[in-house]
Amino acid sequence: MTQTLTIRRPDDWHLHLRDGDMLRAVLPHTAQHFARAIIMPNLVPPVVTGAEAAAYRDRILAALPEGADFTPLMTLYLTEDTDPDDVAKAHAEGLIHAVKLYPAGATTNSASGVSDFSRVAAVLGRMAEIGLPLCTHGEVTDPAIDIFDREAVFIERVLDPIRKAHPELRVVMEHITTADAVDYVMASDRNLAATITTHHLVINRNHILAGGIKPHYYCLPVAKRETHRLALRRAATSGDARFFLGTDSAPHTDANKLLPCGCAGCFTAPNTMSILAEVFEQEAALDRLEAFASRNGPAFYGLPVNEDTLTLVRETPDFPGHINTPDGPVTVFDPAMPLHWTA
Ligand SMILES: [Zn+2]
């Protein structure tokens, strides 16, 4: 039985670090394992311009623990007023690595997102020209659409038309949750990839709703039925270069999770690598963990694979149930299964 597993150091292609005290509390948990991360721009107010992204990057670097080796890969929040020239300049300077599309109202702090997709056509055209990827929160916000169908409807109504209008645009479907999304990625031959979170490989909607409501498993896009979870596991563990890790680790304090209208998000930064090793071993695919966590992402983003490595050891890990922050405790995602790998 394999006792240690050494892989190129992983990256996280979708991460929420927040700001201020919360940023300082959660960043060390990501920097401990991950060399780089695509940083989500949905602060309040959102990170919309190159200047705001530069300032946020500097706050992240200032919050890093002594000696940590971590590079934040910044993104801009796409609005209907986004200036194509500002986007192109921030990309040319090496500051930003993607632009994030949130349909207005889709998730935490997405009120400034896009309602009228025709109003962002010029920005998307420029991004296609310069090879800057668009990351999508792939859910429609039409209240008439059932929450469990919002990803599939987004593909049909929003994503496919955007890709047909801008065939050279490189797109990352973020945190996919359905077999529909897996199939859509598999049917494309270029310019399309998807990230998959740690928690969507582990939970289905029963974890949230059966036997009492479990707010700590509530995330967006919401976990779907078991057939979809299994499709995600097959995609993640397949080694297919179009699928890679984006944890979507999203800290909210327990006080904000445990409300009558609680926040969406799972905080997985501390235990993601242990959970992934468990999932990949269950699927007899430990040899493909490196592709998913360390190789496929940089290949899509046109970046080198990390030179240094991460070694996992077959030892029962010991994770706290929560971390303490000045804003209050943040619960660490509970995979509801024994873990056997320590990173
Ligand atoms: Zn997210």
Side-chain angles (χ1 to χ4, degrees), residues 43-67:
L43 304 180
V44 185
V47 178
V48 171
T49 65
E52 288 162 359
Y56 186 29
R57 178 197 54 194
D58 292 347
R59 296 199 296 280
I60 295 168
L61 293 174
L64 274 173
E66 272 293 307

Side-chain angles (χ1 to χ4, degrees), residues 14-16 18 40 42 100 102 107 137 174-175 197 220-221 247-250:
H14 182 126
L15 177 66
H16 297 271
R18 314 301 189 202
M40 287 298 117
N42 60 332
K100 178 68 186 269
Y102 289 98
T107 187
H137 181 105
E174 304 224 84
H175 44 53
T197 75
L220 286 174
T247 66
D248 199 12
S249 181

Side-chain angles (χ1 to χ4, degrees), residues 256-326:
N256 285 330
K257 290 290 286 180
L258 305 175
L259 285 173
C261 182
C263 291
C266 296
F267 178 56
T268 54
N271 55 4
T272 273
M273 291 313 298
S274 289
I275 296 171
L276 288 178
E278 196 71 32
V279 167
F280 276 66
E281 184 156 58
Q282 287 167 358
E283 300 290 330
L286 263 185
D287 58 331
R288 292 183 215 135
L289 177 58
E290 185 180 60
F292 181 67
S294 312
R295 290 190 178 274
N296 297 347
F300 186 86
Y301 275 91
L303 294 168
V305 170
N306 295 311
E307 283 299 323
D308 46 349
T309 59
L310 177 75
T311 296
L312 293 121
V313 182
R314 189 183 294 282
E315 254 169 37
T316 303
D318 188 19
F319 294 107
H322 67 269
I323 65 161
N324 289 310
T325 81

Side-chain angles (χ1 to χ4, degrees), residues 46 77-81 100-106 109-117 120:
Y77 188 116
L78 183 63
T79 75
E80 293 179 5
D81 300 319
K100 178 68 186 269
L101 167 66
Y102 289 98
N109 304 337
S110 64
S112 316
V114 178
S115 303
D116 178 354
F117 290 91
V120 295

